[in-house]
Amino acid sequence: RKDHLSKVAASSTKTALAELIWNSLDADATNVNVNFTSGPLGTDRVTVSDNGTGISYKDAESLFISLGGSWKASKNKTDSGRFLHGKEGEGRFKAFALGRVVDWKVTYKEDGKLFDFTIEGKSDSLDEFVLSDVSESQRTSTGITVEVSELESKKSHVVDPDKAHGQLAPLFALYLSNYKTVSLSINGERIDTDSLIRYRKTFPLTPIEVDGEQQPVELDLVEWDSLSEREIWFCDGNGFPLEPYMKQIRGIGDFGYAAYLKSDYFRGLHNQNLLPLADLGQTIGIGPACKEAI
């Protein structure tokens, strides 16, 4: 229903942009580029382009017709063997948190040939998408370019290209460290984890006990060499950031860090929208883990 789609689309700009990047990575892209186009009031267009597998024309309608329906629901890894981030089919709707108009420009391969088509959506009609005709492509590789335009005036200054690198790097640092063949660039500047990470160590924590079962938990601590952010993230067992831990964390010294609290148990809580209630940790079983991490 449209009212529920609106709730899904009511995301932060940072989360919305991250979802577009995760969709590219889940499509086996090895090169993802984020670009911001500036206007008189700040950023007026955001583009995320990749060299992933794209979407076949015959699957496009079923993938965009409703919430959910993600092709990733029955898979744990991409065709190249990389772990998948999303499975809920919500990422495409979160894009509308950035702007009113979102265009997906798709190139896919079929029977040895490349083909193009576009999908257009608007935030004021989230239950409707416009699918173009398909035509043979002049491109040399598959991929998707997502263009978000008509950014909300109150958000155009939030999508700041000067800050985006520092805001996105902690979200993708573990992934980029694990998959060295993947490149993520923000306005032409590649996120280089080798130069960002000064120190990294993993600590096993006391398992969370839920309904008599032990849920493994570990803390992946990363000290930054050039970032000032200090934050803790709830992650699934593969290290995909799900939600930030909202309590203010006191730091020692002048360096930034990210602490990734990892457990598959957090994925289930995230899907139930319970992770934002982490401060009430005793009610969902994660209070002791948060205290031990801090």
Side-chain angles (χ1 to χ4, degrees), residues 111-131:
D111 298 328
K113 295 182 179 180
L114 295 178
F115 297 92
D116 293 333
F117 67 91
T118 61
I119 302 167
E120 181 186 277
K122 297 180 179 178
S123 61
D124 42 8
S125 54
L126 287 173
D127 53 348
E128 298 177 11
F129 288 90
V130 178
L131 180 63

Side-chain angles (χ1 to χ4, degrees), residues 40 50 73 77 100 107 117 188-189 201 209 231 245 261 277:
D50 66 55
K77 294 184 178 182
R100 176 176 174 268
T107 301
F117 67 91
E189 182 182 358
K201 187 173 181 179
E209 186 169 336
E231 49 195 6
Y245 181 58
L261 195 58
L277 303 176

Side-chain angles (χ1 to χ4, degrees), residues 33-292:
N33 298 285
V34 180
N35 287 285
F36 302 91
T37 303
S38 297
L41 299 177
T43 302
D44 61 10
R45 182 182 295 268
V46 179
T47 304
V48 179
S49 58
D50 66 55
N51 64 342
T53 54
I55 302 170
S56 70
Y57 192 71
K58 67 179 184 294
D59 292 334
E61 184 174 354
S62 63
L63 289 174
F64 277 79
I65 201 169
S66 63
L67 181 66
S70 174
W71 61 270
K72 297 176 271 190
S74 60
K75 298 182 67 175
N76 291 317
K77 294 184 178 182
T78 67
D79 290 340
S80 70
R82 284 148 48 185
F83 282 108
L84 289 167
H85 170 265
K87 294 189 177 185
E88 303 303 312
E90 296 183 350
R92 57 188 175 275
F93 293 100
K94 291 184 184 297
F96 294 101
L98 291 169
R100 176 176 174 268
V101 180
V102 184
D103 293 307
W104 287 261
K105 300 181 179 181
V106 182
T107 301
Y108 72 101
K109 190 172 187 178
E110 185 173 271
D111 298 328
K113 295 182 179 180
L114 295 178
F115 297 92
D116 293 333
F117 67 91
T118 61
I119 302 167
E120 181 186 277
K122 297 180 179 178
S123 61
D124 42 8
S125 54
L126 287 173
D127 53 348
E128 298 177 11
F129 288 90
V130 178
L131 180 63
S132 75
D133 292 331
V134 65
S135 61
E136 195 162 341
S137 179
Q138 300 300 311
R139 293 185 57 180
T140 59
S141 64
T142 60
I144 296 179
T145 296
V146 183
E147 291 186 357
V148 185
S149 56
E150 296 189 29
L151 272 64
E152 295 184 38
S153 57
K154 63 182 180 180
K155 290 185 177 181
S156 61
H157 69 284
V158 176
V159 188
D160 187 342
D162 294 329
K163 297 180 181 178
H165 191 278
Q167 291 179 337
L168 293 172
L171 284 171
F172 295 94
L174 295 188
Y175 187 94
L176 296 173
S177 294
N178 293 335
Y179 302 112
K180 295 292 189 181
T181 59
V182 177
S183 173
L184 171 59
S185 298
I186 313 295
N187 260 19
E189 182 182 358
R190 183 173 178 266
I191 294 179
D192 182 6
T193 55
D194 290 338
S195 63
L196 283 176
I197 297 176
R198 178 188 300 176
Y199 172 85
R200 177 180 176 183
K201 187 173 181 179
T202 301
F203 301 88
L205 301 184
T206 304
I208 297 172
E209 186 169 336
V210 183
D211 297 329
E213 295 186 3
Q214 300 288 315
Q215 303 288 339
V217 188
E218 63 181 18
L219 184 71
D220 212 336
L221 180 62
V222 173
E223 181 182 322
W224 304 120
D225 201 34
S226 57
L227 298 179
S228 59
E229 281 76 7
R230 294 174 176 176
E231 49 195 6
I232 292 179
W233 285 89
F234 292 109
C235 305
D236 66 12
N238 295 319
F240 289 115
L242 302 170
E243 297 274 354
Y245 181 58
M246 298 309 295
K247 278 190 175 180
Q248 187 173 6
I249 308 300
R250 296 178 63 184
I252 299 174
D254 57 357
F255 58 86
Y257 64 84
Y260 303 93
L261 195 58
K262 302 192 300 185
S263 175
D264 284 330
Y265 176 57
F266 299 146
R267 170 66 73 177
L269 294 176
H270 174 71
N271 293 342
Q272 300 175 62
N273 294 317
L274 292 176
L275 271 182
L277 303 176
D279 288 347
L280 306 176
Q282 295 298 331
T283 64
I284 52 179
I286 62 175
C290 294
K291 291 180 180 179
E292 188 176 1

